[in-house]
RNA sequence: GAGCCAUUAGCUCAGCUGGUAGAGCACCGGACUUUUAAUCCGGGUGUCGAAGGUUCGAAUCCUUCAUGGCUCACCA
């Protein structure tokens, strides 16, 4: 038998006593293998057939509750599909096996074999004939009645959260099925899933501060990517035509209920498309995904009822802002815009540029009304350095953002494929950086060189996956939809 | 980064204007062969987040720190 006498910390003596007691009954507390024939859900689905034939079934899972009755014991066992009751009788198991079962505690993992029946109270139950202890649980589980609510413990020890809270498991099941149906949708339309560098020499593709790291062998500073955009568009130059990536981005910014330093984005690019192509695709894809994963077209988010049935509203950013604030973001001068904004109570300081003010107007006057899915179109070029300008107005980018439930969910534009214009945009960004804007783009010569070989006119779309999952699971915090959100490490 | 709030048993929480720390569940011992928040009998298992201070006396008042939550800022 194995030696478990080394100390693991905590109440070592109690843990040791339990292990010794189990070993004294001739059983190792670990090391068994066990292959269940059914899941809990299988038993419920096939109850009729199984109980009629008196067929032997086996299931494996974690003991979540025990009700001991002397020579009989009821135990609730939980696997990934649900919970089911065991009925263990001394005269069926025999003396020694029953005595071993008496050692079982809440939290232990067991495998059982027996027949399915219904108790007097009508509860679906397995009448246990044989059982095996698969792994013992040395620490007490959170209390059964109140469960585990402490958010810090829930995030730090997510395994306990998953054991105790079924609705948490459901959130991550839904997350998985959303990603699957998104991939299915894109595969059907001949999009190729690709992976591009997480570690980049020049972080680009978004206006954000990056994390720095260092490669020892090359002796160079590297950045964790803030977006995959510039690499995905190199693939468009390379003729892949339809590519997407669902993966992590890293931004070195504050943490809040809607921001985690690493978060998941879908980015996709379609050659011979533009932002209008992306709008159609975005709407169709999300309607499809929402329907496939929730079965509904209405979603409830934080008390709002959101009607997701198509077609989705399309509005212009300028009209919306003009209507709400009286400011014309394309025709008012810098000075008059700033004055008007100030008179509305927006504290614009001297260094605020147009983009910043527009963003503020959008957030304060437009976004709070965007409950149902709405595409807000035509953004200023100066806050869209990678987007193509409209033919009519060089100050307006062919770009939209998608808002659902007052949250920004998507962002898309007609990609700028003119290397000369792109270089000018980079140089403008460089000026912003020199005046202290740490989020401004760096000049990426290598990307410009790629554009010189010719990139087809292309539409690009980004969708914030975590935010989308928040909407679909009515989660008020992004941490509820990320298995291991970033927390400050514990020092104790 | 700033403000507000929280931190007491394994879990959920009481503990008033300062007077030697409590409940339910969990846990430990005993009884119980269809229970299901099983029941019945017996048992409190604690560095009151940490360190200072005030006081005869601090879980309680003050200061600092730590961690978390919410709001704001930055951003998606």
């Amino acid at each position: 038998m194995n030696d478990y006498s080394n100390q693991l910390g905590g109440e070592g003596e109690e843990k040791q006593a339990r292990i010794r007691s189990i070993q004294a009954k001739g059983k190792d507390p670990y090391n068994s293998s066990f292959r269940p024939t059914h899941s809990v859900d299988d038993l419920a689905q096939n109850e009729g057939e199984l109980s009629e034939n008196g067929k032997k079934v086996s299931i494996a899972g974690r003991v979540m509750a025990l009700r001991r009755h002397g020579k009989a014991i009821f135990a609730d066992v939980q696997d990934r599909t649900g919970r089911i009751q065991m009925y263990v009788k001394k005269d069926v198991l025999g003396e020694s096996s029953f005595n071993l079962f008496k050692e079982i505690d809440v939290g232990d993992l067991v495998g059982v074999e027996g027949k399915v029946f219904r108790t007097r109270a009508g509860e679906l139950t397995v009448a246990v004939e044989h059982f095996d202890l698969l792994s013992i649980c040395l620490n007490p589980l959170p209390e059964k009645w109140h469960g585990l609510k402490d958010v810090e413990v829930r995030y730090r020890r997510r395994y306990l959260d998953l054991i105790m809270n079924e609705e948490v498991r459901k959130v991550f099941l839904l997350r998985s099925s959303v990603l699957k149906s998104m991939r299915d949708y894109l595969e059907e339309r001949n999009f190729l899933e690709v992976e591009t560098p997480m570690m980049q020499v020049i972080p680009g593709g978004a206006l954000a501060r990056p994390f720095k790291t260092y490669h020892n062998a090359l002796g160079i500073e590297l950045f964790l990517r803030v977006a995959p955009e510039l690499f995905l568009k190199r693939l468009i130059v390379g003729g892949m035509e339809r590519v997407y990536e669902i993966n992590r981005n890293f931004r070195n910014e504050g943490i809040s209920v809607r921001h985690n330093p690493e978060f998941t984005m879908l980015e996709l690019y379609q050659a011979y498309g533009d932002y209008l192509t992306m709008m159609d695709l975005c709407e169709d894809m999300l309607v499809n995904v929402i329907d496939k994963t929730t079965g509904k077209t209405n979603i409830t988010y934080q008390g709002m009822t959101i009607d997701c049935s198509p077609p989705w509203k399309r509005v212009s950013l300028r009209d919306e802002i003009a209507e709400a604030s009286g400011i014309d973001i394309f025709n008012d001068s810098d000075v008059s815009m700033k004055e008007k904004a100030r008179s509305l109570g927006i504290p614009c300081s001297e260094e605020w540029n147009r983009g910043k003010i527009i963003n503020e107007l959008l957030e304060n006057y437009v976004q709070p009304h965007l409950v149902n899915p709405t595409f807000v179109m035509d953004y200023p070029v100066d806050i869209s350095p990678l987007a193509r300008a409209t033919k009519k107005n060089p100050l307006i980018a062919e770009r939209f953002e998608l808002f659902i439930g007052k949250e920004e969910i998507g962002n898309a534009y007609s990609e700028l494929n003119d290397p000369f214009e792109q270089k000018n945009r980079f140089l403008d960004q460089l000026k912003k950086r020199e005046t202290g804007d740490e989020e401004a783009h760096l000049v990426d010569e290598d990307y410009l060189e790629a554009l010189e070989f010719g990139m087809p006119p292309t539409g690009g779309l980004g969708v914030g996956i975590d935010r989308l999952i928040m909407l679909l699971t009515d989660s008020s915090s992004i941490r509820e939809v990320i298995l291991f959100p970033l927390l400050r490490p514990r020092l104790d």
Side-chain angles (χ1 to χ4, degrees):
Chain A
M1 244 177 221
N2 285 344
D3 178 13
Y4 297 108
S5 58
N6 58 328
Q7 293 295 303
L8 294 172
E11 327 108 77
E13 234 355 271
E14 262 176 50
K15 294 173 186 174
Q16 288 298 319
R18 221 182 136 221
I19 288 171
R20 278 196 299 271
S21 177
I22 286 164
Q23 288 185 316
K25 292 182 170 63
K27 177 71 192 149
D28 250 337
Y30 303 102
N31 293 338
S32 295
S33 68
F34 186 89
R35 288 176 178 70
T37 57
H38 293 75
S39 68
V40 167
D41 193 47
D42 290 337
L43 297 188
Q45 299 295 322
N46 304 304
E47 182 196 347
E49 179 208 335
L50 292 172
S51 59
E52 242 171 68
N53 306 339
K55 201 180 159 193
K56 277 198 187 173
V57 300
S58 63
I59 65 162
R62 194 180 289 275
V63 175
M64 296 304 290
L66 283 168
R67 293 175 291 282
R68 295 191 173 95
H69 292 256
K71 297 187 181 63
I73 299 173
F74 291 92
D76 296 339
V77 171
Q78 168 176 294
D79 72 6
R80 69 181 189 287
T81 65
R83 227 180 247 209
I84 193 168
Q85 177 168 267
M86 306 290 113
Y87 184 39
V88 183
K89 290 203 287 185
K90 186 174 186 178
D91 57 6
V92 175
L93 255 68
E95 178 100 27
S96 71
S97 182
F98 188 75
N99 283 342
L100 181 58
F101 199 92
K102 287 207 285 195
E103 296 285 340
I104 299 283
D105 251 350
V106 170
D108 289 350
L109 292 154
V110 296
V112 302
E113 184 184 68
K115 289 174 188 156
V116 175
F117 78 109
R118 290 254 168 199
T119 63
R120 272 207 297 250
E123 174 116 2
L124 186 63
T125 301
V126 176
V128 175
E129 294 169 15
H130 300 286
F131 88 97
D132 202 354
L133 171 61
L134 305 182
S135 181
I136 63 172
C137 175
L138 292 173
N139 299 318
L141 288 182
E143 188 249 328
K144 67 181 175 191
W145 187 238
H146 296 92
L148 176 60
K149 293 271 152 44
D150 183 318
V151 292
E152 186 180 356
V153 178
R154 286 186 45 230
Y155 300 151
R156 281 193 199 281
R157 307 212 277 186
R158 184 67 95 176
Y159 49 93
L160 291 181
D161 195 24
L162 292 166
I163 290 168
M164 300 304 296
N165 296 319
E166 192 188 357
E167 63 286 1
V168 172
R169 285 199 296 276
K170 283 187 177 155
V171 165
F172 293 102
L173 290 178
L174 185 109
R175 185 173 176 124
S176 173
S177 67
V178 165
L179 290 175
K180 181 182 185 312
S181 69
M182 216 170 242
R183 288 192 163 101
D184 288 347
Y185 180 93
L186 293 169
E187 300 298 335
E188 274 169 31
R189 282 154 188 81
N190 300 311
F191 281 86
L192 189 72
E193 181 168 16
V194 297
E195 293 161 283
T196 61
M198 295 277 176
M199 295 193 289
Q200 304 179 346
V201 177
I202 299 171
L207 309 178
R209 261 180 288 184
F211 285 94
K212 276 183 201 158
T213 186
Y214 184 77
H215 190 280
N216 289 339
L218 294 178
I220 53 169
E221 189 171 56
L222 288 170
F223 299 90
L224 298 187
R225 75 177 188 192
V226 295
E229 173 158 353
L230 300 183
F231 283 94
L232 291 170
K233 289 196 286 201
R234 284 171 171 94
L235 298 180
I236 298 296
V237 172
M240 293 185 111
E241 291 191 359
R242 294 180 181 209
V243 295
Y244 74 98
E245 177 162 10
I246 297 177
N247 225 325
R248 231 67 66 78
N249 290 342
F250 307 87
R251 298 191 186 172
N252 207 340
E253 284 148 4
I255 295 173
S256 80
V257 286
R258 35 190 104 62
H259 300 90
N260 193 61
E262 51 177 315
F263 63 101
T264 302
M265 285 268 289
L266 160 69
E267 279 203 19
L268 69 85
Y269 293 86
Q270 178 176 342
Y272 312 111
D274 61 13
Y275 79 133
L276 295 173
T277 323
M278 291 298 103
M279 214 179 294
D280 292 340
L281 181 115
C282 180
E283 178 177 313
D284 190 53
M285 175 174 71
L286 291 182
V287 165
N288 196 289
V289 165
I290 292 168
D291 177 51
K292 283 226 167 78
T293 55
T294 69
K296 293 181 290 190
T297 52
N298 274 0
I299 53 185
T300 302
Y301 183 65
Q302 305 296 297
M304 295 177 269
T305 302
I306 303 172
D307 178 6
C308 294
S309 55
W312 291 355
K313 222 169 138 188
R314 301 179 176 199
V315 301
S316 119
L317 176 65
R318 173 215 221 149
D319 294 351
E320 292 300 299
I321 289 181
E323 198 178 306
S325 71
I327 295 175
D328 184 333
I329 59 170
F330 293 127
N331 290 325
D332 280 4
S333 68
D334 286 10
V335 176
S336 99
M337 200 160 115
K338 207 166 264 191
E339 264 169 25
K340 285 184 187 168
R342 281 211 181 102
S343 73
L344 288 166
I346 293 173
C348 323
S349 54
E350 280 316 307
E351 66 272 15
W352 280 28
N353 55 32
R354 293 180 75 89
K356 173 83 183 150
I357 297 168
I358 290 163
N359 211 33
E360 207 66 16
L361 292 168
L362 170 64
E363 276 175 25
N364 290 311
Y365 292 95
V366 181
Q367 201 166 332
H369 307 296
L370 304 179
V371 174
N372 287 337
T374 306
F375 293 107
V376 178
M377 302 164 64
D378 298 335
Y379 279 64
V381 160
D382 60 344
I383 53 170
S384 314
L386 301 164
R388 190 169 74 200
T390 58
K391 289 269 183 296
K392 282 181 283 186
N393 187 339
L395 297 177
I396 303 177
E398 292 188 0
R399 173 181 175 188
F400 70 80
E401 287 188 326
L402 168 65
F403 292 86
I404 307 178
K406 306 181 187 177
E407 294 290 346
E408 189 194 332
I409 296 297
N411 179 25
Y413 34 86
S414 303
E415 304 300 334
L416 178 58
N417 63 346
D418 171 346
F420 298 95
E421 173 65 11
Q422 184 66 73
K423 178 147 194 181
N424 286 337
R425 302 280 192 89
F426 277 150
L427 292 176
D428 282 347
Q429 288 289 310
L430 197 60
K431 273 182 214 147
K432 289 197 170 116
R433 182 165 274 272
E434 279 158 4
T435 60
D437 184 353
E438 286 181 64
E439 283 150 14
H441 250 281
L442 291 157
V443 180
D444 189 337
E445 295 288 354
D446 184 80
Y447 174 67
L448 291 172
E449 192 176 322
L451 290 188
E452 286 176 27
F453 284 92
M455 180 169 84
T458 296
L461 168 70
V463 175
I465 298 298
D466 309 289
R467 297 258 175 100
L468 179 63
I469 307 298
M470 285 171 70
L471 277 175
L472 299 182
T473 56
D474 197 11
S475 299
S476 61
S477 168
I478 197 168
R479 293 171 168 200
E480 293 297 333
V481 302
I482 293 174
L483 279 166
F484 299 101
L486 184 67
L487 301 178
R488 203 181 294 269
R490 285 211 76 115
L491 299 170
D492 56 21

